Amino acid sequence: MKKRLFLSAVLLLIGGALAMAQISTGEPSAVKVKTGNRPDKGTFGLYVGGGMDFGSFINRENNNRYVLPLVNLKYYFTDKVEGRIGLDFYRHDINIGGKKFTTAEAQEGDTYKYVNNAGNGNMMLWPGIAYHFTNKNILDVYVGAELPIGLTSASSKLVTGDPSVTTKRSMNAFNVGLGAFVGLQAFIGNLPLAIGLEYGLYGAYSIGNKVKNVRTDDNGKKVWYESLLNAGNPGAPNADNFEKLHVGEGYMGNQLRLTLSYYFK
């Protein structure tokens, strides 16, 4: 028993001596962590931003929705002045063709040709400029303006009946606007990367939001126009159709974007 106590005491003394030796001989060290790789004059940047849209060119109903990433190219004309241009593109098409029974009972041999083609799309360019207030490598605060401009289009063709009736519908609208935004970005470590947040307000005007209908049957051709906001299904003209029509639409919206930028020369 006494031997065990003696050995334990010796081990504790040795361990303490080693610990004291390590502490007394250790040298303090410091690691300097760089806080960013800020872009300067002549730097290019790829910018990807995705966030929430609270009403804009393609969201007239003002219902909140998520926005697909908007890809931009940046260029620093000076250390504080940045130019940017972005592209927002969407397209959807559907084509249906075949033979359709004339009655619900699907009688053999009693069919006619059926064609239904439709498509819609939106293309917007977002040129802009931003001013950065400081040259610090940690946080970057900036303000800017954008001039969104582009086209919205839609078309369809429906062929049905026996004898057949063809109804073509088309719409082409020109969109132009003006936006202002404020942003904050932080540079990641010693990488040419920055993560940030942008909030912007946009006012816009759209010209040509009308649908042109052309119906062709055995009686000839009929042309009429509908407002895009009240466009009905293809068919005979009704009280909401016009021989001539002009439609202009103005609206405001805003966006909140989470951004990721990669800089290079």
Side-chain angles (χ1 to χ4, degrees), residues 40-52:
D40 53 11
K41 180 180 178 180
T43 301
F44 288 92
L46 287 176
Y47 157 109
V48 179
M52 182 71 78

Side-chain angles (χ1 to χ4, degrees), residues 5-86:
L5 291 174
F6 177 75
L7 289 174
S8 300
V10 172
L11 290 174
L12 287 173
L13 289 172
I14 294 173
L18 290 174
M20 291 178 64
Q22 289 179 353
I23 294 173
S24 62
T25 59
E27 295 182 0
S29 62
V31 178
K32 293 183 179 180
V33 179
K34 296 184 178 181
T35 56
N37 196 359
R38 183 185 178 89
D40 53 11
K41 180 180 178 180
T43 301
F44 288 92
L46 287 176
Y47 157 109
V48 179
M52 182 71 78
D53 182 9
F54 300 95
S56 64
F57 293 100
I58 52 178
N59 187 29
R60 291 178 172 83
E61 294 81 8
N62 293 322
N63 297 322
N64 299 350
R65 71 176 185 88
Y66 290 103
V67 183
L68 292 177
L70 183 66
V71 179
N72 295 267
L73 178 65
K74 297 179 179 181
Y75 180 76
Y76 279 74
F77 295 103
T78 70
D79 290 351
K80 293 187 176 182
V81 178
E82 164 210 317
R84 56 169 64 181
I85 185 167

Side-chain angles (χ1 to χ4, degrees), residues 95-253:
N95 299 287
I96 302 173
K99 287 187 176 182
K100 189 174 182 179
F101 290 105
T102 58
T103 63
E105 290 78 13
Q107 297 175 0
E108 184 179 355
D110 195 7
T111 62
Y112 60 88
K113 182 180 179 181
Y114 177 85
V115 176
N116 189 351
N117 301 328
N120 62 86
N122 186 80
M123 184 180 71
M124 296 295 301
L125 286 176
W126 295 74
I129 191 168
Y131 178 80
H132 300 257
F133 289 101
T134 68
N135 291 324
K136 294 181 179 179
N137 280 11
I138 303 176
L139 291 178
D140 179 23
V141 180
Y142 56 93
V143 296
E146 292 178 319
L147 182 66
I149 184 172
L151 297 172
T152 301
S153 64
S155 63
S156 67
K157 177 182 178 181
L158 178 64
V159 180
T160 186
D162 188 12
S164 65
V165 176
T166 301
T167 304
K168 295 181 179 180
R169 311 176 78 220
S170 60
M171 185 276 294
N172 292 282
F174 175 72
N175 306 312
V176 63
L178 181 64
F181 59 89
V182 59
L184 173 69
Q185 65 178 348
F187 297 93
I188 303 174
N190 195 31
L191 301 174
L193 294 174
I195 186 170
L197 196 66
E198 287 185 2
Y199 175 76
L201 297 173
Y202 300 91
Y205 190 77
S206 185
I207 304 172
N209 291 326
K210 62 181 180 180
V211 179
K212 179 181 179 181
N213 296 269
V214 179
R215 178 187 174 97
T216 306
D217 55 24
D218 288 348
N219 297 321
K221 181 184 293 185
K222 177 68 177 180
V223 179
W224 73 95
Y225 298 89
E226 299 171 274
S227 168
L228 178 63
L229 300 179
N230 298 310
N233 296 321
N238 54 52
D240 294 327
N241 303 140
F242 299 84
E243 181 180 357
K244 293 182 179 180
L245 180 65
H246 171 77
V247 179
E249 183 182 1
Y251 44 92
M252 294 188 67

